[in-house]
């Protein structure tokens, strides 16, 4: 082989080898079934760099944040972790009324960090519909459309997915699941939003908390049913389906509401679910033992890669709430204690994850990158 041919072969080899593992390759907004919400309403949690180490150590790839903080985006650069950033509710009216502002926001907070930071989605607001603010509800669709248009102009619409998360407050009734429909005051905003999401291939994102349902109705709900523990469950006579846990029932209730609205093929993804490990006196179910039980059983349930009774072939995907206890969150005491980890990186309770190792920082260099460099070095020696 001539020297010129060797050089040509070498450059082709380098191009294929490194481009095959390019972090910008599209693998979907959610890989696998398990993700985590990385909330930061706290003054004592680890730095974003240490959070990356903790996530990689726990092998949690799918991560949601509630803003587009640049220190977080920089820390996630080159890590291989898939990130969904958030456009906070306070931005919705501005983004809805001004397409140029939406374009600038996407350029500054998404495009400028790609491809090294694997931003796979933008969550437009959080729990907007059903919240009682009609002006904010009216702005949601316009904001989603303008942000999507910005992605399309920047040729990012096939890489970054648009979503928005809904609470149970959008439903008129969810028991039994087959009776679930959207509230009358929500439908006027929800249907056009669902139509747009259907056009662009986005899922219906639901924040579902059996913890809250049980807390509000402890006399009517069996706590074992809420915790994935053995129980009689419930029977839905209309669909002839039996539910042995509340989360599956909440998800299928959402599917029934979507079907009633004319969107029966839309996928439901859980964007928040969890159980508080501590709470106020009127939150007796908020204990470390119950939190461990719920999150351990949920992790097992997701690992089975199965669907719900109503959608058995649609594998359930869920983001757990949350990564850390957040000491600055307002509201009930339970709001501060949803974390799988304490602020110092130790586990809140054991569901199979390990505390952050003190020597983890020394292993930040990716083994896959090292392997590629070794292969290139060997190839060069062979030449």
């Amino acid at each position: 082989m001539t020297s010129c041919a060797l050089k040509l072969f070498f450059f082709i080899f380098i191009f294929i080898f490194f481009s095959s593992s390019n972090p910008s390759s599209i693998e979907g907004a959610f890989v696998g079934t398990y993700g985590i919400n990385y909330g930061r309403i706290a003054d004592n949690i680890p730095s974003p760099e240490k959070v990356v180490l903790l996530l990689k150590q726990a092998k949690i790839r799918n991560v949601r944040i509630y803003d587009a903080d640049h220190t977080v985006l920089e820390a996630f650069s080159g890590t291989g972790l898939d990130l969904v950033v958030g456009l906070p509710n306070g931005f919705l009216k501005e983004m809805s009324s001004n397409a140029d502002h939406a374009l600038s926001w996407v350029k500054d907070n998404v495009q400028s960090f790609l491809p090294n930071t694997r931003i796979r989605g933008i969550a437009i607001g959080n729990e907007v519909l059903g919240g009682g603010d009609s002006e904010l509800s009216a702005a949601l669709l316009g904001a989603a459309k303008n942000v999507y248009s910005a992605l399309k102009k920047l040729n990012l619409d096939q890489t970054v997915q648009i979503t928005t998360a809904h609470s149970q407050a959008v439903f008129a009734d969810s028991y039994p699941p087959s009776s679930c429909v959207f509230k009358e005051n929500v439908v006027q905003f929800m249907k056009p939003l669902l139509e747009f999401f259907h056009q662009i291939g986005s899922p219906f994102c639901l924040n579902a908390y059996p913890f809250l349902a049980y807390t509000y109705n402890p006399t009517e709900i069996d706590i074992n049913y809420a915790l994935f523990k053995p129980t009689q469950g419930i029977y839905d006579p209309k669909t002839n389906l039996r539910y042995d846990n509340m989360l599956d029932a909440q998800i299928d209730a959402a599917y029934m509401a979507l079907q009633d609205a004319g969107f029966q093929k839309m996928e439901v993804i859980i964007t928040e679910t969890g159980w508080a490990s501590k709470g106020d006196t009127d939150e007796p179910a908020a204990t470390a033992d119950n939190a461990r039980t719920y999150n351990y059983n949920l992790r097992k349930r997701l690992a089975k890669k199965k669907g719900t009774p109503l959608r058995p072939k649609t594998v359930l995907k869920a983001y757990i709430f949350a990564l850390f206890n957040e000491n600055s969150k307002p509201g009930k005491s339970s709001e501060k204690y949803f974390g799988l980890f304490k602020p110092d990186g130790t586990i809140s309770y054991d569901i199979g994850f390990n505390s952050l190792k003190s020597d983890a920082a020394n292993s930040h260099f990716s083994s896959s990158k090292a392997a590629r460099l070794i292969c290139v070095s060997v190839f060069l020696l062979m030449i």
Side-chain angles (χ1 to χ4, degrees):
M1 188 179 291
T2 66
S3 175
C4 184
L6 277 172
K7 287 180 180 178
L8 177 61
F9 182 78
F10 171 70
F11 283 113
I12 292 174
F13 173 83
I14 291 296
F15 176 79
I16 294 173
F17 198 76
F18 282 95
S19 63
S20 66
S21 56
N22 192 321
S24 66
S25 60
I26 301 173
E27 296 182 39
F30 197 122
V31 178
T33 61
Y34 196 92
I36 197 87
N37 285 280
Y38 169 25
R40 306 188 322 281
I41 306 177
D43 59 14
N44 58 354
I45 58 176
S47 67
E49 290 76 16
K50 287 186 178 179
V51 170
V52 165
L53 300 176
L54 181 62
L55 291 167
K56 297 191 80 170
Q57 179 183 295
K59 295 182 172 60
I60 300 175
R61 175 170 173 175
N62 305 292
V63 186
R64 294 178 80 244
I65 59 175
Y66 293 89
D67 54 20
D69 185 272
H70 288 194
T71 59
V72 175
L73 300 184
E74 288 166 0
F76 274 65
S77 177
T79 63
L81 300 174
D82 288 339
L83 192 62
V84 174
V85 300
L87 179 69
N89 290 358
F91 287 79
L92 297 188
K93 293 178 183 178
E94 176 189 352
M95 296 300 170
S96 177
S97 62
N98 195 317
D100 289 338
H101 287 184
L103 180 61
S104 296
W105 189 91
V106 172
K107 283 181 177 179
D108 294 342
N109 298 289
V110 178
Q111 185 188 41
S112 62
F113 291 93
L114 291 169
N116 292 329
T117 300
R118 295 170 59 102
I119 299 174
R120 289 290 173 260
I122 302 173
I124 310 297
N126 185 51
E127 299 187 347
V128 175
L129 302 187
D133 187 334
S134 58
E135 288 187 6
L136 195 63
S137 295
L140 179 60
L141 177 58
K145 284 185 173 181
N146 281 344
V147 171
Y148 178 76
S149 294
L151 290 173
K152 204 166 183 64
K153 282 183 181 179
L154 300 171
N155 295 316
L156 298 176
D157 55 302
Q158 297 301 309
T159 303
V160 182
Q161 187 180 65
I162 295 293
T163 59
T164 189
H166 304 286
S167 74
Q168 296 280 338
V170 299
F171 304 128
D173 188 16
S174 59
Y175 180 83
S178 61
S179 69
C180 191
V181 294
F182 292 113
K183 287 180 178 176
E184 287 186 16
N185 64 342
V186 168
V187 170
Q188 60 177 316
F189 303 113
M190 182 66 81
K191 276 200 171 183
L193 182 71
L194 293 176
E195 182 61 44
F196 175 61
F197 278 8
H198 172 71
Q199 292 170 4
I200 65 175
S202 292
F204 182 87
C205 293
L206 178 66
N207 296 344
Y209 286 92
F211 166 72
L212 294 177
Y214 175 79
T215 298
Y216 298 147
N217 299 284
T219 60
E220 298 178 20
I221 297 173
D222 178 3
I223 194 169
N224 293 322
Y225 177 62
L227 291 171
F228 299 95
K229 295 176 75 173
T231 178
Q232 272 192 323
I234 67 163
Y235 172 72
D236 191 327
K238 184 175 180 180
T239 57
N240 197 30
L241 295 173
R242 182 165 291 280
Y243 292 88
D244 60 10
N245 72 83
M246 184 181 287
L247 184 65
D248 277 2
Q250 289 178 325
I251 295 164
D252 278 356
Y255 275 122
M256 293 302 295
L258 288 169
Q259 182 174 310
D260 179 72
F263 300 91
Q264 63 185 47
K265 293 185 178 180
M266 186 171 285
E267 180 185 9
V268 174
I269 291 178
I270 297 299
T271 35
E272 285 184 20
T273 190
W275 198 285
S277 59
K278 189 176 179 181
D280 293 324
T281 55
D282 60 347
E283 300 174 302
T287 67
D289 184 57
N290 285 342
R292 189 204 70 81
T293 299
Y294 181 82
N295 282 296
Y296 177 75
N297 288 338
L298 174 59
R299 192 180 179 200
K300 284 200 305 181
R301 189 250 181 272
L302 292 172
K304 293 177 181 178
K305 297 183 178 180
K306 67 175 187 176
T308 61
L310 189 64
R311 295 286 189 274
K313 295 182 180 179
T314 304
V315 176
L316 177 61
K317 303 169 185 175
Y319 289 92
I320 313 308
F321 189 87
L323 186 57
F324 295 110
N325 288 335
E326 298 174 73
N327 67 346
S328 299
K329 288 202 76 173
K332 304 284 287 184
S333 292
S334 59
E335 292 286 345
K336 299 177 174 65
Y337 293 100
F338 275 87
L340 300 184
F341 293 88
K342 297 176 182 177
D344 61 0
T346 59
I347 56 174
S348 296
Y349 37 79
D350 186 9
I351 64 167
F353 294 126
N354 297 316
S355 299
L356 180 63
K357 296 175 183 177
S358 59
D359 60 348
N362 297 326
S363 62
H364 188 57
F365 186 70
S366 166
S367 59
S368 61
K369 288 181 180 178
R372 292 199 295 272
L373 287 175
I374 290 171
C375 288
V376 172
S377 300
V378 170
F379 179 81
L380 287 172
L381 288 173
M382 291 174 64
I383 292 177

